[in-house]
Amino acid sequence: MGEKFFRFGFQLRLTKGRPIMSRRANIIVASTDGDQLAELLDGANEISDALKSECEVSPRVATSIDDIRAKRTQDTLLLIIAASLPQSRSSCDQDMQPAIDFVRSIATGPNALPCILVSERLEHYRVAQSIRCCELLVVDNTTDYVDYCLQLARKLDVIRDRPKTDAASSGSSIAGSSTITQKTIAKYAVVEVDLPTDLNMSKVRLEIHDGNEPREPFSEPLRLKKSDVAQLVKDSKGLKKKFASWRVTPERYYSQWQDEYQRLGERLGRLLWSTQSFTAFYNHGIGAADNNIRIRFNLEQPWFDGLWEALRVRSGQRVLMLDNTVARRALPKDPAEYVRRDHDKIAARGGELRILVIQSDPGNVPPENRTDPLWLSCWERHGGTLAPLKHLKKEVEALCSVASLAQAGTSAPAIKIVVDVLPTEQRATGEPWSLAAMTQGVLENSGQGYDIVHFAGHALFLEDGKKREKGYLVFSGHPRPQAVSISVVAEWLAKAGVQLAYLSCCRSNAALAALELARNSIPMAIGFHWDVEDEKAPAFAKEFYGELLNFDLKVCPAISKARRNLFNGSQGSDPIWASPVLIAQPGSWIQVEAVLKPPAPKSAESRQAA
């Protein structure tokens, strides 16, 4: 009964396991901005309320460093201080940083005073990181001071919440659980890396979303060396070419691929983590959004061919995309190009997800394209042959099985899944027909439209170094298959309102496909860095669409979870988990999050919130 312990300078005595108050404590709130001071006081009062069962805590106001020194006692529990705080009330030298120097001075010794540094400047994150028992609260005109004060007080261990033991919380408290709570889903951070052709204009941005309107993003230059980025892209292209030759003996190349992919990811990591701006923005995003973060590379040529998804976590060997969503976007040459899309809400139609699957196996007959002079050059460069596609039937069966599970009520969301497959029937021998014409007609004439178009077949690309870069999808037919440029197919998709294009293609190249799709405002696309092995294409498709249902039709967490599932299944040795590339084209990430999200139910308020 006489057991005692000390915590942050005030003494508590345990009686029958319950703490009782032995003395009062205080929190000092310091700022010269009256409005900000009022907000911070609200936060301090909430912290006091959270501690009322342990101690009576009262806030004290200070307007200078000297004022803090006069009011600080051995019972001071926490200091919430504005980085702009002057030394004294009469100070006017704005170039000095007495508040930061003061915070450093009180961070020494075994009982350092916990401190929340309040600033409008994100570069102070690095300052806070270097100071013991200090956390940064970055503020703007949308900051919820109370919520962030409570969060940071918990992070500093000023507030120690007891773990919940009721039935509702027991399911998510298991060690290693990947369950995402509703609160976590509502709060996320986005780190955007812009890599235009002129790398002198490269920059990184951070945007925080907390369920309301996103806060104004912070932005800083990246200052990357063109030679470093160019070499990284060159080596990325080299690894993809090696992959094509290694596939002949897959059992031998797994370990070699794993080693080379890891080294490339480490180089990419050194390139980005060595910049203070990327490191600070990423770390702040992780803290502000409880580890729920997205990264998007906004790219122009010649940087599309880099294996940006290989980025490694700074501490350790784990690939970052296994923990966080990593996406790409084709940077528009004209920023106004995607304005219309950014103001649209993207949602599945009427609680029904419609998928059009195009099953294209042209056999060994050479495709034709009579209207495109580049086609013959592309065909010759690829050897004039098409590899057999043994996986198509299994891939279509995988998609239909996911739809069957949803219909049976075994999947989480209450949504109807409709999967239509082209061609609809086997054609009679010798009868002329065209899968390309059939696809165009279905997209143009379907009254209900399709949310996803899944193309399983061949994609060929021409890269001749003369700015003549073009991709083609090969559609089966008789007497000859047809090679249709991706730009033309993208026009079909855009007119039909398709939200996601899934290219499950042999010889696919997601970077070039993204350029073609982006020019026609396709919101999202999934492609592959290298050839999809016959037996692996159905596996990833089934994982992705299954997780798409589990995550209420949100593409970002679905593709991330599908990656993890396949990574864990092979301990990372099988390259299938690393091959998919997610192209998230809308300029605003709010629209990215809304892609394929069903309409909110019932009330007008909830519809607006969605």
Side-chain angles (χ1 to χ4, degrees):
M1 303 298 179
E3 182 183 357
K4 299 180 180 179
F5 66 89
F6 289 88
R7 178 179 167 199
F8 300 126
F10 66 94
Q11 186 181 39
L12 298 176
R13 185 172 68 254
L14 291 178
T15 304
K16 295 183 180 180
R18 293 173 59 83
I20 63 172
M21 182 177 59
S22 62
R23 60 166 60 174
R24 296 184 176 183
N26 63 74
I27 296 174
I28 296 180
V29 180
S31 176
T32 55
D33 184 321
D35 293 336
Q36 183 183 78
L37 191 62
E39 298 271 15
L40 293 174
L41 276 172
D42 288 341
N45 284 324
E46 288 295 325
I47 296 171
S48 302
D49 188 59
L51 292 169
K52 64 183 179 183
S53 62
E54 300 180 12
C55 184
E56 183 179 341
V57 182
S58 57
R60 295 181 177 181
V61 174
T63 55
S64 67
I65 303 299
D66 292 343
D67 206 6
I68 293 174
R69 287 196 173 100
K71 294 178 179 178
R72 181 188 173 193
T73 68
Q74 64 177 352
D75 299 325
T76 299
L77 180 64
L78 174 68
L79 173 61
I80 305 176
I81 179 174
S84 58
L85 199 72
Q87 180 66 42
S88 65
R89 295 185 182 184
S90 59
S91 297
C92 59
D93 192 344
Q94 298 299 318
D95 295 329
M96 302 295 290
Q97 292 185 313
I100 292 175
D101 294 337
F102 177 71
V103 170
R104 283 199 179 100
S105 71
I106 62 176
T108 58
N111 295 314
L113 178 65
C115 173
I116 296 175
L117 183 65
V118 182
S119 176
E120 296 177 355
R121 297 166 57 185
L122 191 57
E123 59 265 33
H124 282 153
Y125 179 80
R126 295 190 287 275
V127 174
Q129 270 193 313
S130 67
I131 302 175
R132 185 180 170 212
C133 296
C134 181
E135 294 291 340
L136 180 68
L137 196 168
V138 180
V139 298
D140 55 31
N141 58 2
T142 66
T143 299
D144 186 338
Y145 283 83
V146 173
D147 183 52
Y148 281 101
C149 282
L150 284 170
Q151 284 188 43
L152 295 178
R154 288 185 171 91
K155 194 169 183 180
L156 288 165
D157 209 25
V158 174
I159 300 173
R160 294 180 181 177
D161 291 329
R162 292 190 179 94
K164 297 179 180 180
T165 57
D166 54 63
S169 63
S170 59
S172 61
S173 62
I174 301 173
S177 170
S178 61
T179 301
I180 303 176
T181 65
Q182 195 64 36
K183 180 179 178 182
T184 305
I185 291 175
K187 181 182 294 184
Y188 60 90
V190 183
V191 177
E192 302 258 13
V193 178
D194 285 1
L195 297 178
T197 303
D198 181 3
L199 286 179
N200 291 322
M201 304 300 291
S202 64
K203 60 183 176 181
V204 60
R205 296 190 306 279
L206 173 65
E207 192 174 85
I208 306 295
H209 297 252
D210 57 6
N212 301 308
E213 287 297 314
R215 288 181 242 163
E216 189 69 22
F218 302 98
S219 177
E220 281 191 5
L222 261 181
R223 299 186 178 91
L224 297 176
K225 291 184 179 179
K226 183 176 181 179
S227 58
D228 291 343
V229 178
Q231 188 62 48
L232 185 76
V233 171
K234 180 180 179 181
D235 293 343
S236 295
K237 295 173 72 172
L239 179 56
K240 287 189 279 187
K241 288 180 180 178
K242 287 181 183 179
F243 188 91
S245 62
W246 290 343
R247 287 191 64 217
V248 179
T249 54
E251 66 280 358
R252 294 185 179 181
Y253 75 69
Y254 281 175
S255 60
Q256 186 176 357
W257 172 87
Q258 196 173 22
D259 290 343
E260 293 208 25
Y261 190 73
Q262 177 173 320
R263 285 196 293 270
L264 192 74
E266 290 170 351
R267 284 176 53 197
L268 175 56
R270 287 194 295 271
L271 183 74
L272 290 176
W273 295 118
S274 63
T275 66
Q276 291 184 333
S277 51
F278 180 84
T279 301
F281 281 26
Y282 178 83
N283 289 339
H284 182 72
I286 283 287
D290 301 328
N291 295 321
N292 193 20
I293 197 167
R294 292 94 166 95
I295 297 176
R296 182 163 63 167
F297 292 93
N298 302 311
L299 305 164
E300 283 185 357
Q301 282 289 39
W303 316 125
F304 263 93
D305 285 315
L307 290 170
W308 303 103
E309 290 77 10
L311 177 63
R312 298 264 156 177
V313 178
R314 186 176 188 183
S315 56
Q317 299 302 311
R318 190 169 175 85
V319 183
L320 195 144
M321 66 178 166
L322 290 171
D323 301 313
N324 308 128
T325 296
V326 177
R328 297 183 178 207
R329 178 177 178 241
L331 271 177
K333 294 187 181 301
D334 180 3
E337 186 176 345
Y338 300 109
V339 170
R340 180 183 60 81
R341 279 283 176 183
D342 290 349
H343 288 291
D344 290 343
K345 272 290 182 184
I346 306 171
R349 300 168 175 86
E352 183 177 81
L353 181 69
R354 298 180 61 82
I355 304 173
L356 178 64
V357 181
I358 304 168
Q359 181 179 348
S360 181
D361 187 357
N364 294 321
V365 181
E368 67 175 357
N369 187 322
R370 298 177 182 176
T371 61
D372 192 337
L374 286 180
W375 163 247
L376 288 179
S377 177
C378 180
W379 179 244
E380 290 171 0
R381 283 175 174 269
H382 283 286
T385 60
L386 292 174
L389 299 174
K390 302 176 182 178
H391 69 283
L392 293 190
K393 184 177 179 181
K394 288 185 178 180
E395 188 163 349
V396 173
E397 290 174 349
L399 269 68
C400 292
S401 69
V402 171
S404 299
L405 288 174
Q407 271 34 310
T410 58
S411 192
I415 186 167
K416 183 180 179 182
I417 310 297
V418 176
V419 176
D420 293 334
V421 181
L422 293 178
T424 55
E425 58 185 15
Q426 188 68 34
R427 295 286 168 168
T429 304
E431 178 186 346
W433 68 284
S434 167
L435 181 57
M438 190 183 301
T439 300
Q440 183 181 8
V442 167
L443 289 172
E444 289 180 351
N445 300 318
S446 174
Q448 293 177 298
Y450 290 95
D451 304 292
I452 301 174
V453 167
H454 182 111
F455 181 87
H458 283 288
L460 306 180
F461 290 85
L462 172 68
E463 301 173 80
D464 64 359
K466 298 178 182 179
K467 296 185 179 180
R468 298 196 308 172
E469 299 175 335
K470 200 163 188 179
Y472 301 84
L473 299 185
V474 179
F475 290 81
S476 52
H478 183 79
R480 297 275 297 276
Q482 285 184 275
V484 183
S485 67
I486 289 180
S487 61
V488 171
V489 177
E491 289 178 5
W492 301 347
L493 304 182
K495 289 178 181 178
V498 173
Q499 301 166 66
L500 171 64
Y502 186 116
L503 301 180
S504 179
C505 300
C506 182
R507 295 180 181 173
S508 67
N509 184 314
L512 290 177
L515 283 174
E516 301 285 1
L517 294 170
R519 291 189 184 108
N520 290 275
S521 299
I522 305 303
M524 302 191 90
I526 293 175
F528 294 83
H529 275 307
W530 40 74
D531 290 8
V532 180
E533 295 177 61
D534 289 344
E535 68 275 16
K536 303 298 170 51
F540 186 82
K542 188 170 184 178
E543 289 288 345
F544 169 71
Y545 286 106
E547 295 299 344
L548 190 63
L549 296 180
N550 291 334
F551 282 100
D552 297 329
L553 305 185
K554 290 202 171 185
V555 176
C556 292
I559 196 170
S560 297
K561 185 61 163 53
R563 285 190 200 279
R564 287 196 296 273
N565 294 346
L566 292 172
F567 176 88
N568 293 334
S570 68
Q571 287 75 53
S573 64
D574 191 326
I576 183 60
W577 64 270
S579 182
V581 175
L582 173 63
I583 313 298
Q585 196 54 38
S588 167
W589 196 267
I590 291 179
Q591 268 61 51
V592 175
E593 289 290 307
V595 166
L596 299 180
K597 187 177 184 297
K602 298 180 182 179
S603 71
E605 290 80 4
S606 62
R607 283 195 295 272
Q608 291 173 359

